[in-house]
Amino acid sequence: MFSRPAAGLEDTPRGSAAQALLRNCVHCGFCLPACPTYRVTGNELDSPRGRIYLIKQMVEGAPATATTREHLDRCLTCRACERACPSGVEYGRLIDLGRELVEERVPRTLPQRALRRSFVELLSRPRLFAAALRAGQAMRGWLPATVQARIPPRPSPAAIGTASHHARRVVLLEGCVQPGLAPGINAAAARVLDRIGIGVERVAGEQCCGALGHHLGHTGRALEQARRNVDACCAALDAGAEAVVSSASACGLMVKDYGRLLAEDAAYADRARRVSGATRDLAEIIDPADLSRAGLAPGTGLRVAWQAPCTLQHGQQLGGRVEALLQAAGFGLEPTREATLCCGSAGTYSILQPGLSGELRRRKVAALTVGSPQAIATANIGCLEHLRGTSPVPVRHWIELVAEALERQPAA
Ligand code: SF4
Ligand code: SF4
């Protein structure tokens, strides 16, 4: 797709990037059936190809409107379209660029800006978020049913501890909402890693990975959080940690992208690339053979349905890894439908686009329970909490299931 950046964008890094990204799209439309929003609305402007046209028009200087912004807002950034595209269009980078342009040209109202800012401030501060969550849990009975449905039950306290006696050590990222919503996930990860001979450590000064701010158009704030994490993780890597590990696939994807996001920052580019190169999803650190050596055997556990978060299967392209680990840990995998479609969680999308998000969740829960599983397993806290809202069976992080299976085994 040929484009000519308008005055003000031509001969700028952003204009050149837009031109290069747009060039690969050949308008074929193969991406349309892969797009969850297009599948729901049937509107071309809610498809990848339609949004690419809207971005091209903005790049070329055509006026952007609130309608342009609405169609870009409806994108989940799930990147299912990238996997379906035969021309290798990097849609994720294009939508980031499109959102930057639309935020500049179609300013939101003051209440809209305040709401989005409050999400970034509240959700990216673990202590503030945990305090707000505790208050909501305490007042649950007095809140409207729609609000109650969004507040998960209070989890059991869990500490990840340390296992400094192991020669192998990794940084285990805490994340920002996960410690408040489900502290048991990282506690389970630490126990499993300890069992296979890997110690975990937290890094002082860890911030939100920045994904929340990045997708809400608060790019400066997101990059500042990325720089703080690069500082913290480089110090841990210098001290001998072999990897930076995330148990939330959305956060892991963001940290893996720091090298690209900070490429123009001379003070951080090299170290950001180093941190991105050392970052692993939890499923990349554990091997099915580790679980076999610990005494686990296939076919002995619950029947589960696997929900692959978009950030794991499309973003990090790690499809198949968790499935192999679950099977090695004894779990039976039930058949599901529409495995590549987003569940509708997508960070704050479920709050900002409740209609589309709710419909996608309804479809996803139906697709996941078609084989009557005993539980649903996933790899990202956002998907877990979103699906938990209407799932008829428990929704768990896969590492919690593996930890429980291991704990039923005598130590090797
Ligand atoms: S599949 Fe790729 S090349 Fe075809 S319309 Fe979609 S983004 Fe463009
Ligand atoms: S990222 Fe997801 S929602 Fe957005 S256009 Fe691509 S497939 Fe559709």
Side-chain angles (χ1 to χ4, degrees), residues 34-37 46-48 51 74-82 91:
C35 176
T37 54
D46 290 325
S47 79
R51 292 182 179 116
R74 285 187 194 158
C75 173
L76 296 138
T77 328
C78 68
R79 292 169 61 181
C81 48
E82 284 189 6
Y91 175 85

Side-chain angles (χ1 to χ4, degrees), residues 20-90:
L21 290 165
L22 287 165
R23 191 175 297 130
N24 286 342
C25 179
V26 295
H27 326 200
C28 64
F30 286 176
C31 51
L32 268 63
C35 176
T37 54
Y38 179 69
R39 295 268 290 264
V40 173
T41 71
N43 183 342
E44 169 91 18
L45 293 179
D46 290 325
S47 79
R49 186 172 62 182
R51 292 182 179 116
I52 289 171
Y53 273 120
L54 293 174
I55 295 166
K56 175 181 185 289
Q57 286 172 349
M58 284 194 291
V59 168
E60 294 183 334
T65 65
T67 306
T68 314
R69 194 181 62 202
E70 179 60 18
H71 290 295
L72 298 194
D73 279 352
R74 285 187 194 158
C75 173
L76 296 138
T77 328
C78 68
R79 292 169 61 181
C81 48
E82 284 189 6
R83 301 299 301 281
C85 174
S87 301
V89 172
E90 292 180 79

